[in-house]
Amino acid sequence: MRLLNLLFPERRTSAVIARERLKIVLAHERASREAPDFLPVLQKELLDVIGRYVEIRSDMIRVNLGRSGDTSLLEINVEIDGAKVTPAKNGAAGDGKAAGTARIDTGATAPWVKPR
Amino acid sequence: MAVRVMVRRRKGEVFLAGKVIVLTSGKGGVGKTTSAAAIAAGLALRGHRTVVIDFDVGLRNLDLIMGCERRVVFDFINVINGDAKLNQALIKDKRNDLLYIFPTSQTRDKDALKRDGVERVLEELKESFDYIVCDSPAGIEHGALTAMYFADSAIIVTNPEVSSVRDSDRIIGLLASKSRRAEFNLEPVAVHLLLSRYSPERVRKGEMLAVEDVKEILSIPLLGVIPESESVLKASNTGTPVVFDEESPAGRAYLDAVARFLGEQRELRFLQPERRSLFRALFGRA
């Protein structure tokens, strides 16, 4: 049997499947268990602020509290690739000083987006 | 029948408060009560004054497993409510002088476990016993939370099976956040993994999670592996903690676990499939 295992190391026994399923589900549950309560609110407020400048949807921002070695890490990922600039109205971007932003035509991609 | 506690410390002996050990799992049917009885009896066999408490109010079973069901007069809830004295409710084991059983109520519900009452009783027990073994109910409701709240150590009874491992992980999380030690920023509850109903033969065939898998997934220290064994049912049939059966692999594995709990190094045993003798193969006795 040992020899067989050596010859076919990736045998997908039900125990292997159980182990993989457990690892995935527990990674997920531990992350949500350790997440502080303020994360969803923080995510919403960030969305509001960024949304004043760039049109983003809620699924384009991800806020996570992780761990890197000994330090806690607040990780904020905002995906703005292809996002449109919010039309300058009466918001923060529309007070004249933000002319740099306002100059860009509505509908153009944001200037910091890498050309594909 | 009133039983006097005869295990009070001698005068002049250095005061050392007893340790509270909770056996918990989240999932039901994994062997918490069997393990609580075996670990408590094992600690007593090693010379420690030990009491085992049933926290499963309304579903009392420790008394049956310990074989003292006909000697129950007063229970844990009576003592919490002040209707009986501690030494009226404690039942002295007939096999070992250092072992006491503290049964719970079969008629009340779990809300009868008031936290301050439980604390008062545990503090009183700590004066007379080295170890207070708490058999937690299944689930994560009031009874289970109360049992784990006062724990100094926790033994997480887990079967090599997905739902049990997941529930154990949840319980480990609760111990880290909801125990008294967590609440008062004391040293965290010492958690230990006890893997029970282990079948080396099925692990070899790839049908069961191996001990290394469970250990890696839960990442807590391993206290012991209890092989699936016929002797466990025999022990519960007769109301004898399985450690008193010297022939039983499960009993010996529990004694190893107790030794490790007490800080000794013991090699893991019973992890290899048993060789079937020609006789057994022919006559079909497992």
Side-chain angles (χ1 to χ4, degrees), chain B residues 258-275:
Chain B
V258 168
R260 288 188 203 103
F261 187 84
L262 296 171
E264 289 172 28
Q265 296 284 329
R266 290 271 174 111
E267 288 284 314
L268 285 172
R269 296 194 275 176
F270 318 110
L271 295 188
Q272 296 306 318
E274 238 182 283
R275 289 254 173 93

Side-chain angles (χ1 to χ4, degrees), chain A residues 41-51 56 61 63 76:
Chain A
V41 183
L42 175 66
Q43 177 160 343
K44 195 194 164 293
E45 290 186 5
L46 282 171
L47 191 70
D48 289 347
V49 172
I50 297 169
I56 61 168
I61 182 165
V63 180
I76 300 168

Side-chain angles (χ1 to χ4, degrees), chain B residues 9-283:
Chain B
R9 280 161 203 283
R10 289 181 294 275
K11 264 189 188 166
E13 200 172 343
V14 181
F15 178 78
L16 267 170
K19 290 263 175 295
V20 179
I21 308 169
V22 64
L23 277 97
T24 180
S25 67
K27 190 177 180 301
V30 296
K32 274 185 302 297
T33 302
T34 300
S35 299
I39 298 277
L43 285 166
L45 284 172
R46 295 296 306 268
H48 298 283
R49 301 147 188 160
T50 306
V51 59
V52 54
I53 312 181
D54 194 345
F55 270 76
D56 204 347
V57 183
L59 291 168
R60 173 165 97 196
N61 273 320
L62 182 70
D63 54 338
L64 268 180
I65 300 300
M66 295 295 294
C68 65
E69 69 277 9
R70 288 165 42 162
R71 297 166 64 201
V72 177
V73 182
F74 294 108
D75 60 48
F76 194 18
I77 304 302
N78 293 141
V79 178
I80 288 175
N81 292 341
D83 299 332
K85 292 251 165 48
L86 196 52
N87 58 15
Q88 293 177 294
L90 287 177
I91 301 172
K92 187 177 180 177
D93 189 82
K94 288 195 165 153
R95 293 150 296 217
N96 189 304
D97 284 348
L98 300 176
L99 182 59
Y100 283 78
I101 300 107
F102 198 177
T104 194
S105 166
Q106 179 68 318
T107 51
R108 305 293 290 272
D109 62 46
K110 295 196 167 47
D111 294 333
L113 284 172
K114 293 184 202 82
R115 191 173 277 182
D116 52 346
V118 172
E119 180 168 28
R120 187 174 44 76
V121 174
L122 288 178
E123 288 305 320
E124 199 177 337
L125 286 169
K126 280 181 187 178
E127 290 172 18
S128 313
F129 291 96
D130 299 316
Y131 292 105
I132 299 148
V133 177
C134 304
D135 180 23
S136 167
I140 48 172
E141 307 303 321
H142 179 72
L145 292 178
T146 309
M148 72 167 65
Y149 182 77
F150 295 104
D152 298 308
S153 303
I155 296 175
I156 316 291
V157 186
T158 306
N159 290 167
E161 179 271 322
V162 286
S163 52
S164 173
V165 175
R166 183 197 214 172
D167 290 359
S168 294
D169 190 70
R170 179 97 172 92
I171 289 290
I172 294 165
L174 287 173
L175 278 160
S177 60
K178 295 266 193 283
S179 63
R180 189 179 63 94
R181 283 176 171 270
E183 201 169 288
F184 291 95
N185 266 324
L186 304 169
E187 198 182 317
V189 178
V191 278
H192 310 270
L193 172 63
L194 186 68
L195 195 59
S196 62
R197 315 197 76 161
Y198 194 73
S199 168
E201 181 62 26
R202 303 199 72 184
V203 172
R204 186 184 65 80
K205 288 188 199 156
E207 295 173 1
M208 182 180 270
L209 287 164
V211 53
E212 298 80 25
D213 296 338
V214 181
K215 213 181 136 196
E216 187 203 334
I217 291 167
L218 293 178
S219 56
I220 56 171
L222 180 68
L223 190 66
V225 180
I226 313 300
E228 174 85 71
S229 164
E230 291 177 357
S231 52
V232 172
L233 181 58
K234 263 194 243 166
S236 85
N237 285 342
T238 57
T240 317
V242 71
V243 289
F244 289 119
D245 180 354
E246 284 160 16
E247 303 286 300
S248 160
R252 285 182 283 160
Y254 274 118
L255 289 176
D256 284 352
V258 168
R260 288 188 203 103
F261 187 84
L262 296 171
E264 289 172 28
Q265 296 284 329
R266 290 271 174 111
E267 288 284 314
L268 285 172
R269 296 194 275 176
F270 318 110
L271 295 188
Q272 296 306 318
E274 238 182 283
R275 289 254 173 93
R276 289 186 133 226
S277 68
L278 183 63
F279 179 84
R280 283 186 171 185
L282 284 173
F283 296 97

